[in-house]
């Protein structure tokens, strides 16, 4: 790649970037540290990537912070991630407000500790009118659960006579997902070299460009984000056409 090839084109940015933040545990193990130190270090990458997306003018950023399957991890690790989230929200709510960033959450929050949930709800309502970047945090999120939940709601509407099965189309279905009103991701980045989707946004990534970064999440910074965007900009999106 020449220097020119590798330059970021600010006129062709993805509107929506989604990130599977992977590699915190390996980053910690490589340093002889407990896994939760990897998550703590990962929170610095979260901050850097939010800031970078805001600076670049990206409209939507979705971060996969905690999957529905992550509840199976040891309680000490789950508790550490929940505490970290609460700490992050308490510390950064002011920054989100200052930087005109709107917070949204997708996922099932039932098992999220009440104090974390309260902080989330407060920050969501405090930032609801912000317009620069929408930060979507996927928490207790699983795409299959999301699809089943949408189907259940649609079946209920059909049962009540509010929707005829013949009238169900993709737009109506999408309006019943957690991501209602959010455009599908243009770019999905997964860090740490793993090539899996891990039950993330299965419906929404039908035509998303996927970039795998070898960098472990705690080491991921603006330069790696920009490299992923440059790779995206070299793709030819065809949406099934020519
Ligand atoms: C995956 O690494 C990472 C997670 C399951 C947690 C991600 C959470 C954070 C970065 C905390 C901060 C988040 C916010 C939004 C403030 P892994 O543990 O699966 O790593 P491994 O594959 O190396 O074991």
């Amino acid at each position: 790649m020449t220097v020119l090839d590798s330059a970021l084109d600010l006129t062709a940015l993805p509107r929506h970037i989604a990130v599977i933040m992977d590699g915190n545990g390996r980053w910690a193990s490589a340093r002889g540290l407990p896994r939760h130190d990897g998550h703590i270090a990962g929170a610095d990458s979260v901050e850097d990537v939010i800031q970078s997306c805001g600076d670049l003018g990206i409209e939507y950023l979705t971060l996969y912070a905690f999957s529905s399957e992550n509840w199976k991890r040891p309680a000490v690790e789950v508790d550490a991630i929940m505490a970290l989230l609460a700490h992050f929200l308490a510390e950064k709510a002011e920054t989100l407000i200052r930087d005109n960033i709107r917070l949204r959450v997708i996922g099932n929050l039932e098992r999220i500790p009440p104090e974390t949930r309260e902080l989330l709800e407060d920050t969501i309502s405090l930032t609801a009118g912000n317009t620069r970047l929408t930060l979507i945090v996927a928490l207790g999120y699983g795409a299959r659960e999301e699809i089943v939940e949408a189907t259940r709601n649609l079946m209920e509407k059909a049962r009540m006579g509010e929707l005829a099965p013949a009238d169900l189309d993709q737009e109506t279905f999408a309006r019943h997902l957690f991501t209602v009103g959010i455009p599908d991701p243009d770019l999905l980045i997964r860090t740490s070299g793993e090539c899996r989707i891990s039950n993330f946004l299965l419906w929404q990534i039908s035509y998303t460009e996927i970039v795998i970064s070898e960098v472990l999440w705690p080491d991921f910074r603006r330069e790696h984000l920009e490299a992923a965007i440059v790779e995206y900009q070299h793709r030819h999106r065809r949406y099934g056409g020519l």
Side-chain angles (χ1 to χ4, degrees):
M1 223 188 244
T2 68
V3 172
L4 270 182
D5 281 340
S6 64
L8 188 64
D9 178 355
L10 292 171
T11 66
L13 292 169
R15 263 188 97 189
H16 182 174
I17 299 178
V19 187
I20 303 179
M21 310 182 285
D22 196 12
N24 294 352
R26 274 163 287 163
W27 183 93
S29 302
R31 288 161 179 75
L33 299 168
R35 292 179 57 83
H36 67 255
D37 281 4
H39 300 313
I40 292 171
D44 290 340
S45 306
V46 167
E47 195 174 348
D48 192 89
V49 166
I50 295 171
Q51 191 75 51
S52 305
C53 283
D55 292 347
L56 286 169
I58 304 294
E59 289 177 61
Y60 299 87
L61 169 68
T62 300
L63 300 177
Y64 202 3
F66 196 82
S67 76
S68 46
E69 287 76 25
N70 287 153
W71 290 113
K72 293 185 231 152
R73 293 194 178 193
V76 60
E77 184 176 346
V78 171
D79 292 349
I81 295 177
M82 292 302 145
L84 189 59
L85 255 169
H87 179 75
F88 185 90
L89 288 165
E91 286 261 296
K92 303 295 169 201
E94 285 300 317
T95 312
L96 297 179
I97 295 164
R98 186 197 67 201
D99 292 347
N100 197 10
I101 298 171
R102 173 170 65 145
L103 178 68
R104 263 184 77 164
V105 170
I106 55 172
N108 181 348
L109 301 186
E110 268 168 32
R111 292 175 69 184
I112 304 292
E115 58 282 7
T116 309
R117 219 161 52 198
E118 217 168 282
L119 274 166
L120 274 169
E121 282 156 7
D122 289 350
T123 314
I124 288 168
S125 55
L126 279 170
T127 62
N130 290 353
T131 52
R132 185 152 148 267
L133 165 71
T134 299
L135 167 67
I136 302 133
V137 178
L139 259 186
Y141 176 86
R144 287 184 172 182
E145 288 87 332
E146 177 184 37
I147 290 169
V148 170
E149 182 69 22
T151 308
R152 185 181 298 118
N153 291 335
L154 286 160
M155 287 173 79
E156 188 57 25
K157 286 192 177 166
R159 193 178 71 85
M160 302 295 284
E162 293 166 15
L163 177 75
D167 291 338
L168 178 61
D169 56 15
Q170 294 187 24
E171 286 70 31
T172 308
F173 194 88
R175 276 201 305 276
H176 289 75
L177 297 169
F178 292 134
T179 48
V180 54
I182 300 169
D184 290 343
D186 303 291
L187 167 63
L188 169 67
I189 302 168
R190 182 165 187 148
T191 59
S192 89
E194 301 288 344
C195 296
R196 281 189 296 277
I197 295 300
S198 302
N199 203 13
F200 190 44
L201 302 176
L202 294 181
W203 171 280
Q204 298 87 343
I205 59 166
S206 294
Y207 289 102
T208 299
E209 295 296 329
I210 300 176
V211 171
I212 306 294
S213 168
E214 295 300 321
V215 176
L216 301 177
W217 179 251
D219 292 327
F220 197 87
R221 289 293 181 273
R222 183 177 179 137
E223 67 196 275
H224 308 111
L225 174 75
E226 291 191 357
I229 298 175
V230 169
E231 190 171 334
Y232 160 86
Q233 290 177 334
H234 284 87
R235 302 271 178 90
H236 173 48
R237 298 184 81 187
R238 299 191 308 179
Y239 301 95
L242 282 177

